[in-house]
Structure formats: C-alpha cells, structure tokens
Amino acid sequence: MVFTGNLSLVVPRPHAVHAKAKNRLYDEAVDGYFARHRVKPGITGWAQINGWRGEIDNEEKIQKRVEFDLYYIENWSALFDAYILFKTPIALMTKNENAY
C-alpha cells in the first residue's frame, strides 16, 4: 500500500516472479529484467503511460515494458514523476490494444 511505504505511486509496475512470455521466463527473454526490481513496485509508470500495459503474451511486449521501466529508473526526477502522474489519467482514457 502506498501509505504504508510498501508501494510507490510512480515506478515500474510489479510482475510475477516466474511469469513467462511464450514459454520463456521474463528474465530469460529480456536482458536486464531484474534491474527493474531495484525500486519498489508502483501503481503507474513510464511504460504504462506509453502504452506498454496489459497482458504480456509475447517477448516484444515484455522487452518494451522493461526498456521503458529501466529508462524511468535511470532518469528519475520529481518532475518526471509529476509528469507521469499527470499523464496517467489521460493514458487510461486513451484506447490501447495492450490494455483491457
């Protein structure tokens, strides 16, 4: 929960530890996958507002999501977080084939 410090508002969204895309574990399919675990999981993030959210049914989707997550981690700032929080409701209202 955000209020207790177990979850952040903005950072990469959590994934199941043994999740797979096309029968390959995420960490096998994507170089640097575990680097995204250097931060607490969050409610929204750079990948989500850029359309990389929803079901992961192929390796490209997890690769792009991790790419955006790592970009966020490497370029974090309070202003970047504010921008993501501002864009999140807009992204949620935008039709996206990757989200339900």
Side-chain angles (χ1 to χ4, degrees), residues 18-73:
H18 297 291
K20 294 182 179 183
K22 293 285 184 185
N23 297 322
R24 288 183 69 196
L25 292 171
Y26 289 169
D27 66 320
E28 294 171 354
V30 182
D31 288 335
Y33 174 75
F34 282 112
R36 64 189 301 283
H37 290 62
R38 294 182 293 189
V39 296
K40 290 180 188 178
I43 295 173
T44 188
W46 187 235
Q48 284 67 41
I49 68 165
N50 283 284
W52 297 106
R53 61 186 193 270
E55 182 181 12
I56 298 173
D57 54 5
N58 64 51
E59 289 184 18
E60 179 196 12
K61 288 180 181 178
I62 187 60
Q63 288 170 347
K64 294 303 275 185
R65 189 176 293 183
V66 170
E67 177 185 326
F68 278 78
D69 288 345
L70 295 179
Y71 178 87
Y72 167 80
I73 292 168

